[in-house]
Amino acid sequence: MNYTLNQLQIFLKIVETKSITKASELLFLTQPAVSIQLKNLQNQFEIPLTEVIGRQLYITPFGEEIAEASRRILKEVNAMKHKTMDYKGFLTGQLNIAVVSTGKYVMPYFLSGFLQKHVGVDLKMDVTNRFKVLESLEQNKIDFALVSVMPDNLEVERIALMQNKLFLVGNKAHAKNLYNKKFDFILKNLPLIYREKGSATRKAMEDYLSTRQITTKKKLQLSTNEAVKQAVIAGLGYSIMPLIGIKNELQDNELHIIEAKGLPITSSWNLIWLKGKKFMPTATAFIDYIQDQKDTIISENFKWLENYEFY
């Protein structure tokens, strides 16, 4: 057999998500790339690893056994790597982080320098909605979480990283027709596109509309920030979205920010962890790194957020 460690890692992510699309998003790969690696792994076996019924992907019983074997293999490989690095005197271990969906535009910049400095440190970063992020934190499955809305039911400590601003956006061509429309008309009469329940962006959007007693006539719900963005670009409706995730689309004139009362909604990105958590050396070193390098990272990568002008 000629399967690779990369194929096993990709297969495990498919098993975890039950979806090639979701696996590709979490691995920052294209769907075709993930599909090809799954096919290459499948070619090593005469028995199916997965099956598709209707539009849903399922893992076969044989696939579950291969997934369990893959976990053991990758665990041993990581153990060998860490032992080697230990002998060389390097910091080793795994950093476990859960990030809300739009945090994927933020967190990599705060990780890059740390991982380059400590080559013996592995990273496991789950990108999902706020509900699942906080669930992982509450169950102590992760070291850190990145959120834009602080939990009200957990005792946590935090490092405030940077501002998060949300604006009302629309398709460039459609938005031009709204210049002479009143604010209430925009939000009450046009279709609004929401993230799924459990999303921090959805919560911010619902809170904003609720405080202004605005009821929308038509709602669309999509499961990812990227899906919402593409729907708005296609002209399906309007949405309140984080500026951090639409920079390129604004520059390419695919999206347009619509001036509205009470916007932008401003919060902050926070790196949080359970109060009293006993950290391994890897996590402790990461906190030290963030506290020391935070301002530099923000200045080098996110200065445009503070200075962005859209009028």
Side-chain angles (χ1 to χ4, degrees):
M1 291 188 178
N2 297 313
Y3 54 76
T4 66
L5 296 178
N6 185 47
Q7 288 170 359
L8 297 184
Q9 290 170 331
I10 290 174
F11 179 59
L12 284 179
K13 190 59 68 175
I14 293 172
V15 171
E16 176 188 326
T17 61
K18 303 294 190 297
S19 166
I20 289 176
T21 299
K22 291 180 180 177
S24 65
E25 291 176 355
L26 295 175
L27 293 166
F28 301 100
L29 297 172
T30 64
Q31 291 184 36
V34 171
S35 296
I36 288 171
Q37 292 304 316
L38 176 60
K39 181 180 179 181
N40 290 340
L41 179 63
Q42 177 63 75
N43 288 340
Q44 309 298 313
F45 306 98
E46 296 180 1
I47 303 173
L49 299 171
T50 64
E51 58 181 344
V52 177
I53 300 176
R55 300 177 116 186
Q56 179 62 48
L57 183 143
Y58 295 90
I59 311 302
T60 66
F62 179 71
E64 293 287 359
E65 291 191 22
I66 295 302
E68 183 57 36
S70 299
R71 293 186 188 97
R72 293 196 299 269
I73 291 169
L74 293 172
K75 183 177 180 180
E76 290 300 320
V77 169
N78 284 332
M80 288 189 291
K81 173 186 173 182
H82 291 155
K83 287 177 182 178
T84 302
M85 301 305 291
D86 281 339
Y87 271 101
K88 292 182 177 181
F90 292 109
L91 179 69
T92 64
Q94 180 168 282
L95 200 59
N96 297 294
I97 300 177
V99 177
V100 295
S101 299
T102 48
K104 67 186 178 184
Y105 301 109
V106 176
M107 198 68 232
Y109 293 94
F110 290 90
L111 287 164
S112 178
F114 179 77
L115 295 176
Q116 290 175 23
K117 180 179 179 181
H118 300 292
V119 294
V121 173
D122 292 329
L123 171 67
K124 181 181 179 183
M125 187 173 80
D126 289 330
V127 181
T128 183
N129 65 40
R130 179 176 179 268
F131 175 80
K132 292 180 179 178
V133 167
L134 295 182
E135 183 179 56
S136 294
L137 185 67
E138 184 176 16
Q139 295 175 0
N140 201 28
K141 292 181 178 179
I142 55 176
D143 299 313
F144 304 103
L146 181 71
V147 297
S148 58
V149 178
M150 293 291 290
D152 53 16
N153 62 331
L154 296 175
E155 289 192 46
V156 299
E157 297 186 58
R158 69 165 183 161
I159 299 175
L161 297 182
M162 51 186 275
Q163 279 194 335
N164 180 38
K165 297 180 179 180
L166 293 88
F167 291 86
L168 177 65
V169 295
N171 170 288
K172 180 73 173 182
H174 291 181
K176 283 183 177 179
N177 298 325
L178 300 177
Y179 284 144
N180 296 321
K181 301 291 185 182
K182 291 185 178 181
F183 166 75
D184 287 350
F185 172 88
I186 295 175
L187 292 178
K188 289 181 179 179
N189 294 281
L190 299 177
L192 289 181
I193 304 175
Y194 290 74
R195 284 283 307 278
E196 79 286 5
K197 289 185 177 180
S199 160
T201 300
R202 179 181 179 125
K203 184 178 185 304
M205 189 169 172
E206 289 179 333
D207 289 347
Y208 173 77
L209 296 174
S210 176
T211 56
R212 285 157 182 79
Q213 299 181 330
I214 295 173
T215 302
T216 56
K217 286 189 175 180
K218 185 174 182 179
K219 294 182 180 180
L220 305 177
Q221 177 178 304
L222 300 176
S223 59
T224 68
N225 191 66
E226 189 63 32
V228 172
K229 187 193 307 183
Q230 295 304 320
V232 175
I233 290 172
L236 290 180
Y238 301 78
S239 190
I240 293 177
M241 302 189 70
L243 180 61
I244 188 78
I246 57 175
K247 176 183 179 183
N248 292 337
E249 289 74 18
L250 290 170
Q251 291 178 338
D252 294 340
N253 289 322
E254 294 178 313
L255 290 178
H256 180 72
I257 291 175
I258 302 165
E259 183 178 2
K261 295 178 182 178
L263 292 177
I265 300 169
T266 302
S267 60
S268 64
W269 291 107
N270 297 281
L271 187 71
I272 64 174
W273 59 93
L274 290 177
K275 190 172 184 179
K277 183 172 176 60
K278 305 297 183 184
F279 280 130
M280 298 297 286
T282 300
T284 300
F286 183 62
I287 289 179
D288 292 340
Y289 171 82
I290 292 296
Q291 290 175 331
D292 182 58
Q293 296 295 320
K294 179 183 75 169
D295 292 342
T296 300
I297 294 169
I298 293 171
S299 177
E300 292 179 351
N301 298 284
F302 300 107
K303 201 69 176 177
W304 68 272
L305 276 171
E306 299 177 10
N307 302 326
Y308 190 82
E309 296 182 0
F310 60 92
Y311 297 113

